[in-house]
Amino acid sequence: LERQDLQHIIAMMALELPCRSTLVRRLGKLLYHIARALPHTASGWWSNECEQLVVGLKVESFAAGTSFLLAKLGIKEASPEFSSRAWQEARRYLAEHSIKSTLLLQGDEEAAAVALVDYDLHLSESALRGTLIREEQTPPIEVTPQWLRPIRKLKV
């Protein structure tokens, strides 16, 4: 798995380049291998190997390949009922927990992004069920410069 290649392809997908069809094919091949590398048991999803695989990908999304990867994993497109419920849950979550909630309440829905995952996995060992909601977190800007600090105990 060429992880750097994955990052570059995903970044180039947003540029609408003339070579987009070639990028899509290459992304499809990489995502096929990622899908094959993912665990097939419930305990595998909680393993260090799975965590290292996911963290090692170093991408926030799979761009145009997301629906392909989800289909490979047997995850169907969201129903309108789920989409409506997810939208309401995301708005509720942002209003209650987000530092960006004032922007959301002012109508700037582009300023906040959340991911809601409602899962029901039936694996050979057991089943995993639950709902996760996470907000995109941009670290706060550091107000004090790190390179310029006063020297308080300077003796001349």
Side-chain angles (χ1 to χ4, degrees):
L1 178 65
E2 300 170 38
R3 293 178 183 187
Q4 290 297 110
D5 198 20
L6 178 65
Q7 294 170 16
H8 293 135
I9 289 172
I10 290 172
M12 290 187 292
M13 293 289 289
L15 300 176
E16 299 294 329
L17 298 170
C19 60
R20 182 173 172 81
S21 61
T22 304
L23 292 172
V24 168
R25 283 193 303 276
R26 180 69 179 142
L27 180 61
K29 288 178 185 178
L30 291 171
L31 293 179
Y32 172 79
H33 291 291
I34 290 170
R36 296 221 26 189
L38 291 172
H40 300 289
T41 64
S43 60
W45 285 96
W46 299 105
S47 69
N48 287 334
E49 292 81 16
C50 181
E51 181 180 355
Q52 291 303 315
L53 172 67
V54 173
V55 169
L57 294 174
K58 297 180 182 175
V59 294
E60 292 181 0
S61 77
F62 296 110
T66 301
S67 57
F68 172 77
L69 182 61
L70 293 175
K72 281 294 195 195
L73 296 173
I75 300 170
K76 300 173 187 166
E77 188 173 333
S79 68
E81 295 81 24
F82 171 80
S83 297
S84 175
R85 184 173 61 83
W87 179 248
Q88 291 170 359
E89 285 290 318
R91 290 182 63 83
R92 183 188 57 76
Y93 176 86
L94 288 169
E96 293 175 7
H97 299 98
S98 177
I99 58 172
K100 302 173 187 175
S101 61
T102 55
L103 294 172
L104 181 69
L105 295 173
Q106 294 170 357
D108 188 3
E109 293 167 351
E110 298 288 325
V114 298
L116 186 133
V117 177
D118 197 15
Y119 59 92
D120 186 2
L121 302 172
H122 299 277
L123 303 165
S124 58
E125 299 171 4
S126 62
L128 295 172
R129 290 184 181 90
T131 301
L132 298 171
I133 187 164
R134 298 286 187 269
E135 179 181 5
E136 174 200 18
Q137 294 292 323
T138 305
I141 297 171
E142 191 67 42
V143 177
T144 58
Q146 297 297 313
W147 53 272
L148 180 62
R149 296 183 185 187
I151 301 173
R152 304 213 186 275
K153 297 181 181 180
L154 183 64
K155 295 183 180 179
V156 181

